[in-house]
Amino acid sequence: MKHNYWIYLLIMFGVTYLTRVAPLVIFRKKIQSRFIRSFLYYIPYAVLAAMTFPAVFFAAGSVPAAAAGVAAAVIAALMGGSLFTVAVTASAVVYVVSLLI
Amino acid sequence: MTAKEPSVFRQGFKDGLPIGIGYFSVAFSFGIAAVSSGISWWQAVLISFTNLTSSGQFAGIGLIASFASYIEMALTEFVINMRYTLMGISLSQKLSPAFKMPFKLTLGHCNTDEIFAVAMSRQGEVSPAYMGGLSILPYVGWTGGTLAGAVLGNILPFSLSQALGIMIYGMFMAIIIPAARRERPVLFVVLTSVIISCIIYFVPAFSFITSGFSIIICAVAASALAAWLHPVEGEVADET
């Protein structure tokens, strides 16, 4: 059976939409439990950390170039760089290093 | 409150700029990948316009190309995007009273990893004006980047497109590193999550765990452990 692009699109959109909007519609009251509030406070950092490592080392073609980019991003972030500054610094370092190696 | 809304909107719009630029480069690579997987440029753009998500879309075009079943598509998208449900519950606690149902049904769909992280790092509540302003440039960047990548494709030198691949991670690090430096428990969360993520990635016995599931496991385990060991003070999580 040949599959239809529009049905794929509808499924992708529908599932993504529900995972995002349902919790906003369902959870209307402030959650009282201190454990759950703490848990939710830590979630974004845990999600971003897990998405970044170790995937970032395989995102730039070569591991040494990516590692240099990570080092540059860490330094830029510690120095108080904005989202944009840190991202551009990492990218520029990866570009230069991958030209050198 | 209402008098301040235009400036809140502008602040959100400004905060969205780095995300929009980062998205443009990631979406550019999505556009290239989508067209080379066999779908047309407008189909790629339509996917980005309706989904606004990176990992789900990359997985999605792979499934379309391999003629996967609709069930498989639904399950894969669900697992990869389950993290949005966790983040949505988090965000729901921070929304201002002005965030009525129509805003939830529309702006709620803009709750991407990066928009979420920026919205959550904001002091106080998140109003529809802020969320709306914050979402504009990422949306434009994501959809426009897909169009550019799909149409212009391989004009970009290979080394440059590879360097752009790391931008999104640079943004992630710019969010977690300063917070980890400021707050010990956040450092604990980040390190725990990274260690679990690396174990799942590198230990062959766990190779059956998909990347979407891995994120969920890491996030739940690290956050639960930190919530148990370092419960946050009332006013930190509940800034009303």
Side-chain angles (χ1 to χ4, degrees), chain A residues 8 17 20 30-31 40 53 91, chain B residues 52 68 90 93 105 163 197:
Chain A
Y8 277 132
Y17 182 83
R20 283 176 175 157
K30 295 286 177 197
I31 293 172
L40 295 174
F53 298 99
S91 235
Chain B
L52 191 67
S90 243
Q93 302 294 300
L105 294 178
S197 175

Side-chain angles (χ1 to χ4, degrees), chain A residues 44-45 47-48 83, chain B residues 19 23 87 91 94 111-122 130-131 134 171-172 174-176:
Chain A
Y45 303 110
V47 167
L48 294 183
L83 294 187
Chain B
I19 306 178
Y23 276 11
M87 298 193 298
L91 182 68
K94 213 175 154 65
N111 190 23
T112 67
D113 301 295
E114 297 74 20
I115 290 176
F116 169 72
V118 171
M120 292 301 288
S121 64
R122 183 173 162 76
Y130 182 75
M131 191 73 177
L134 181 62
M171 287 171 42
F172 290 165
I175 291 167
I176 55 182

Side-chain angles (χ1 to χ4, degrees), chain A residues 4-5 8 12-13 16-17 19-20 28-31 34 38 40-42 44 46 52-53 61 78 91, chain B residues 43 50-52 68 70 81 84-85 90 93 101 105 109 116 162-163 167 172 181 183 185 193 197 230 232:
Chain A
N4 185 311
Y5 164 79
Y8 277 132
M12 288 173 73
F13 166 71
T16 308
Y17 182 83
T19 57
R20 283 176 175 157
R28 290 173 175 192
K29 275 187 282 187
K30 295 286 177 197
I31 293 172
R34 193 179 182 204
S38 304
L40 295 174
Y41 175 76
Y42 291 129
T52 305
F53 298 99
L78 286 176
S91 235
Chain B
Q43 290 177 323
T50 54
N51 280 247
L52 191 67
Y70 296 135
N81 292 332
Y84 288 134
T85 302
S90 243
Q93 302 294 300
M101 192 55 78
L105 294 178
H109 190 46
F116 169 72
Q162 284 204 317
M167 274 197 98
F172 290 165
R181 188 192 198 184
E183 295 171 51
S193 187
S197 175
H230 308 282
V232 293

Side-chain angles (χ1 to χ4, degrees), chain A residues 3 5 7 9 23-24 26 32 35 40 44 46-47 50 53-54 60 64 72 78 82 87-89 92-93 95-96 99:
Chain A
H3 290 298
Y5 164 79
I7 298 178
L9 181 72
L24 297 187
I26 295 167
Q32 293 304 318
F35 175 81
L40 295 174
V47 167
F53 298 99
L78 286 176
S82 68
V88 169
T89 307
V93 167
Y95 183 67
V96 172
L99 288 182

Side-chain angles (χ1 to χ4, degrees), chain B:
Chain B
M1 176 78 186
T2 42
K4 288 194 319 205
E5 289 305 281
S7 76
V8 172
F9 178 86
R10 261 204 307 279
Q11 184 58 46
F13 188 82
K14 255 176 67 185
D15 292 348
L17 176 66
I19 306 178
I21 293 171
Y23 276 11
F24 188 91
S25 60
V26 177
F28 195 93
S29 61
F30 172 75
I32 296 174
V35 168
S36 60
S37 84
I39 67 174
S40 59
W41 66 269
W42 62 266
Q43 290 177 323
V45 171
L46 209 51
I47 289 175
S48 285
F49 184 74
T50 54
N51 280 247
L52 191 67
T53 181
S54 58
S55 39
Q57 288 184 203
F58 275 101
I61 56 169
L63 291 176
I64 292 175
S66 62
F67 305 108
S69 67
Y70 296 135
I71 297 286
E72 201 178 345
M73 175 67 92
L75 278 178
T76 306
E77 293 298 321
F78 180 69
V79 169
I80 292 177
N81 292 332
M82 240 155 78
R83 67 181 191 284
Y84 288 134
T85 302
L86 285 177
M87 298 193 298
I89 297 171
S90 243
L91 182 68
S92 73
Q93 302 294 300
K94 213 175 154 65
L95 297 179
S96 75
F99 227 106
K100 298 275 188 274
M101 192 55 78
F103 292 119
K104 289 180 177 173
L105 294 178
T106 49
L107 292 175
H109 190 46
C110 298
N111 190 23
T112 67
D113 301 295
E114 297 74 20
I115 290 176
F116 169 72
V118 171
M120 292 301 288
S121 64
R122 183 173 162 76
Q123 287 286 314
E125 296 184 319
V126 173
S127 66
Y130 182 75
M131 191 73 177
L134 181 62
S135 303
I136 290 175
L137 290 176
Y139 213 110
V140 170
W142 187 249
T143 310
T146 304
L147 177 65
V151 175
L152 303 176
N154 303 315
I155 287 178
L156 219 58
F158 186 62
S159 51
L160 190 57
S161 65
Q162 284 204 317
L164 290 178
I166 206 169
M167 274 197 98
I168 198 88
Y169 298 106
M171 287 171 42
F172 290 165
M173 285 186 272
I175 291 167
I176 55 182
I177 290 170
R181 188 192 198 184
R182 216 168 38 237
E183 295 171 51
R184 257 299 152 81
V186 173
L187 178 65
F188 173 81
V189 167
V190 167
L191 292 179
T192 308
S193 187
V194 168
I195 290 167
I196 301 171
S197 175
C198 288
I199 291 172
I200 291 174
Y201 189 91
F202 290 110
V203 175
F206 297 122
S207 61
F208 67 94
I209 300 174
T210 61
S211 63
F213 247 127
S214 173
I215 292 166
I216 292 168
I217 294 168
C218 297
V220 170
S223 303
L225 195 60
W228 180 51
L229 295 174
H230 308 282
V232 293
E233 299 306 318
E235 64 276 8
V236 177
D238 183 11
E239 284 159 330
T240 46

